[in-house]
Amino acid sequence: MSMNEYRNLIAGEWRPAHSAKTFSNVNPADHSDIVGEFPASDPEDVADAVASAKKAFATWRLVPAPKRAEILYRAGRLLQERKEQFARDMTREMGKVLAETRGDVQEAIDEAFYVAGEGRRLFGKTTPSELQNKFAMSVRMPVGVVGLITPWNFPMAIPSWKLFPALVGGNTCVIKPATDTPLSVYNLVQTLVDAGLPPGVINIVCGSGGSVGNALVEHPDVRAISFTGSSEVGSRVAQRAAANFKQVSLEMGGKNAQIVLDDANLELALDGALWGAFGTTGQRCTATSRILLQKGIARKFTERFIERAEVLRVGNGLDESVEVGPQVNASQIETSNKYVDIALAEGAKLLLGGGPLTDGDYEKGTFFAPTIFGSVTPGMRIAREEVFGPVVALIEFDTFEQGIEIANSIDYGLSSALYTKDLNRAFAAIRDLEAGITYINAPTIGAEVHLPFGGVKQTGNGHREGSEAIEFFTTWKAVYVDYSDKLQRAQIDNAE
């Protein structure tokens, strides 16, 4: 096996797919740069991985949680040592600039150290019993074998959000990386192996959602699925998992609004809008895809926003001077193009960009110009549907209450932001915005691992990652210890 040929990790061994087929992982900034060849797996590979995880669960669940956590701590230290190389690998396979991929690896480091601490905080509860000489408590138990389906836009951070709490909770895992970015998951899992994780506790199966993802979701020995991706795919995952009554955590799309009031610090709001709209080339579920402008500042903000966006440097993310990298693949370019055409057909005004960049340094990659639409109304599709590209819609409003109403008028509810100096309006927005995350005087992007991450409406199904992920990856067991040495009957009339 050459250095750029990778295999599935099953039972601690690197195995080719049963089909012997592979697919290429290509640098989106330079399609001549092949990052690696990865196995195109099928349900038979999934079955092997699940069997491996099920076998490993028998012993892994018995390892004390603080000892499981020590492995995560060691992994965090190794990630610190390998941060620069992993960031460069990620930029090659995903495209976002080095400053962002370093942040992605740092997120995994932060998650490792945070969750390692949770190994001594898997608290249960004690409570008085209604009967004499009887002790009552509840304890956390691992779920079992869990399936993890991860996206390409944060190919190390999001897998760490799932893997680390699952592991400290005593579960074993089968992870399916996104086909656009498998190497970052390999780097993360290899780090865990090097930190001392036993064989079979984590298994990697590469391949498409149709062949690997569906098989993982439907396998009867997989007790839970944690999925991050589009709302459309998430709906199908939930339906397939329901057939076997397995629990599912869904983290899905967003159409996030930044509201800018007349009294806002405009330069700060511009900084936030540029970072929120064009960071990660707009390929974030938390990206700022709508900017809601109160009419008193709308014209000035729009002029300055265009001026600053048109000088953003687009290019290969390995160049430290580049601010916006490529889109991850040709399909994402097609989606951005589609929504540009839809917006124009519905009457929005193209203020900047509007198409792919293909000449000169761009000819070998999948680049799209930072794109701004004005004259957008809340009912337009460009104001309601997720694009997942560097395309942002500007919407004007009159009153604070109208701004909140527009922000809430969509099917998603992930992130939101308000720029204002009015403390009363800030707290009203925190109360009234229908979103899992609200930022005041900060962009819609920038989650931290020690807070819950997730959304409402079509963004999620009620579970959270970050600080609350342990809740999903553990179950509760009620325990009663009767030391009366006689039969005592609860749940009958014992008032006497």
Side-chain angles (χ1 to χ4, degrees):
M1 184 172 68
S2 68
M3 288 184 64
N4 66 341
E5 291 179 352
Y6 297 87
R7 297 178 176 178
N8 293 323
L9 179 63
I10 299 174
E13 300 175 351
W14 296 103
R15 304 181 186 177
H18 281 283
S19 67
K21 296 179 181 178
T22 63
F23 64 90
S24 297
N25 180 11
V26 177
N27 184 341
D30 180 0
H31 293 169
S32 67
D33 178 20
I34 307 299
V35 178
E37 294 290 330
F38 289 83
S41 306
D42 57 27
E44 191 174 359
D45 300 296
V46 174
D48 289 346
V50 173
S52 165
K54 185 177 181 180
K55 181 179 179 181
F57 179 68
T59 53
W60 178 246
R61 69 183 182 87
L62 300 178
V63 176
K67 296 300 182 182
R68 298 193 294 253
E70 288 175 9
I71 295 174
L72 298 185
Y73 184 83
R74 289 196 295 271
R77 294 296 298 270
L78 291 174
L79 286 169
Q80 287 179 319
E81 296 172 8
R82 301 170 184 181
K83 179 177 177 179
E84 185 64 19
Q85 183 56 54
F86 288 176
R88 290 183 174 275
D89 287 345
M90 192 185 302
T91 293
R92 282 184 66 209
E93 70 171 349
M94 187 269 168
K96 61 185 176 183
V97 301
L98 279 171
E100 293 191 55
T101 55
R102 289 173 184 136
D104 199 308
V105 181
Q106 185 61 49
E107 189 88 356
I109 295 167
D110 295 342
E111 180 76 2
F113 292 146
Y114 174 74
V115 177
E118 294 302 289
R120 295 183 181 273
R121 288 192 291 267
L122 292 178
F123 299 134
K125 300 176 182 178
T126 61
T127 185
S129 170
E130 65 189 42
L131 301 175
Q132 290 186 357
N133 299 320
K134 188 176 181 181
F135 181 77
M137 64 180 174
S138 59
V139 295
R140 291 184 185 272
M141 303 294 289
V143 173
V145 178
V146 298
L148 312 176
I149 301 174
T150 61
W152 48 262
N153 59 337
F154 284 85
M156 188 171 287
I158 291 177
S160 77
W161 291 1
K162 300 179 187 298
L163 279 172
F164 294 172
L167 293 173
V168 84
N171 306 283
T172 53
C173 307
V174 178
I175 185 167
K176 188 200 93 63
T179 52
D180 285 301
T181 55
L183 180 56
S184 292
V185 171
Y186 275 68
N187 286 340
L188 179 65
V189 171
Q190 183 63 61
T191 300
L192 285 162
V193 171
D194 293 344
L197 197 72
V201 174
I202 294 180
N203 304 268
I204 306 174
V205 183
C206 280
S208 69
S211 61
V212 174
N214 289 344
L216 189 57
V217 170
E218 295 173 354
H219 198 292
D221 289 335
V222 175
R223 299 290 183 85
I225 295 289
S226 180
F227 167 86
T228 299
S230 71
S231 297
E232 178 184 4
V233 176
S235 176
R236 296 200 296 269
V237 167
Q239 292 175 56
R240 289 177 182 272
N244 287 318
F245 303 104
K246 65 186 63 176
Q247 65 186 52
V248 179
S249 173
L250 301 175
E251 178 51 48
M252 302 178 289
K255 190 69 178 175
N256 312 291
Q258 173 179 311
I259 304 171
V260 186
L261 300 184
D262 285 346
D263 69 336
N265 178 333
L266 280 195
E267 286 303 311
L268 180 63
L270 284 161
D271 289 341
L274 285 164
W275 174 225
F278 304 122
T280 323
T281 320
Q283 299 173 129
R284 291 182 183 232
C285 55
T286 56
T288 305
S289 53
R290 296 180 295 158
I291 302 176
L292 279 50
L293 303 171
Q294 198 164 17
K295 288 185 177 177
I297 51 86
R299 181 175 179 179
K300 182 177 180 181
F301 183 98
T302 300
E303 290 173 351
R304 290 283 293 120
F305 188 52
I306 295 169
E307 288 173 2
R308 292 186 61 177
E310 65 185 354
V311 297
L312 289 172
R313 185 171 180 189
V314 181
N316 190 323
L318 291 172
D319 181 342
E320 297 272 13
S321 67
V322 165
E323 297 166 286
V324 181
Q327 292 208 258
V328 74
N329 56 36
S331 177
Q332 293 301 127
I333 293 287
E334 291 174 8
T335 300
S336 295
N337 270 327
K338 180 184 79 170
Y339 276 99
V340 167
D341 293 341
I342 289 170
L344 292 171
E346 291 186 337
K349 184 179 179 181
L350 182 62
L351 303 179
L352 183 70
L357 301 171
T358 57
D359 296 333
D361 292 340
Y362 303 122
E363 65 181 356
K364 292 184 178 181
T366 46
F367 295 92
F368 202 89
T371 296
I372 302 171
F373 278 101
S375 302
V376 176
T377 60
M380 292 181 179
R381 290 179 65 185
I382 195 67
R384 307 188 66 81
E385 299 177 12
E386 187 175 41
V387 179
F388 226 65
V391 181
V392 63
L394 307 184
I395 304 169
E396 297 184 16
F397 64 91
D398 290 305
T399 67
F400 168 73
E401 292 74 17
Q402 185 184 20
I404 297 293
E405 181 181 359
I406 294 170
N408 290 341
S409 66
I410 59 166
D411 293 331
Y412 300 106
L414 180 52
S415 189
S416 57
L418 175 74
Y419 282 79
T420 182
K421 296 177 183 177
D422 188 323
L423 184 64
N424 292 343
R425 285 179 169 172
F427 273 89
I430 292 169
R431 178 194 64 196
D432 295 338
L433 284 168
E434 296 172 356
I437 306 167
T438 294
Y439 295 89
I440 303 300
N441 294 324
T444 61
I445 62 179
E448 300 181 34
V449 300
H450 54 287
L451 284 110
F453 181 91
V456 299
K457 299 191 280 190
Q458 290 188 19
T459 288
N461 64 339
H463 295 289
R464 291 291 185 271
E465 297 190 295
S467 62
E468 304 307 307
I470 292 291
E471 290 291 337
F472 178 75
F473 289 112
T474 55
T475 62
W476 286 104
K477 175 180 282 189
V479 178
Y480 301 94
V481 180
D482 192 318
Y483 54 98
S484 66
D485 206 29
K486 64 181 180 179
L487 172 65
Q488 299 194 84
R489 294 176 293 175
Q491 296 180 320
I492 64 171
D493 185 5
N494 56 22
E496 72 277 5

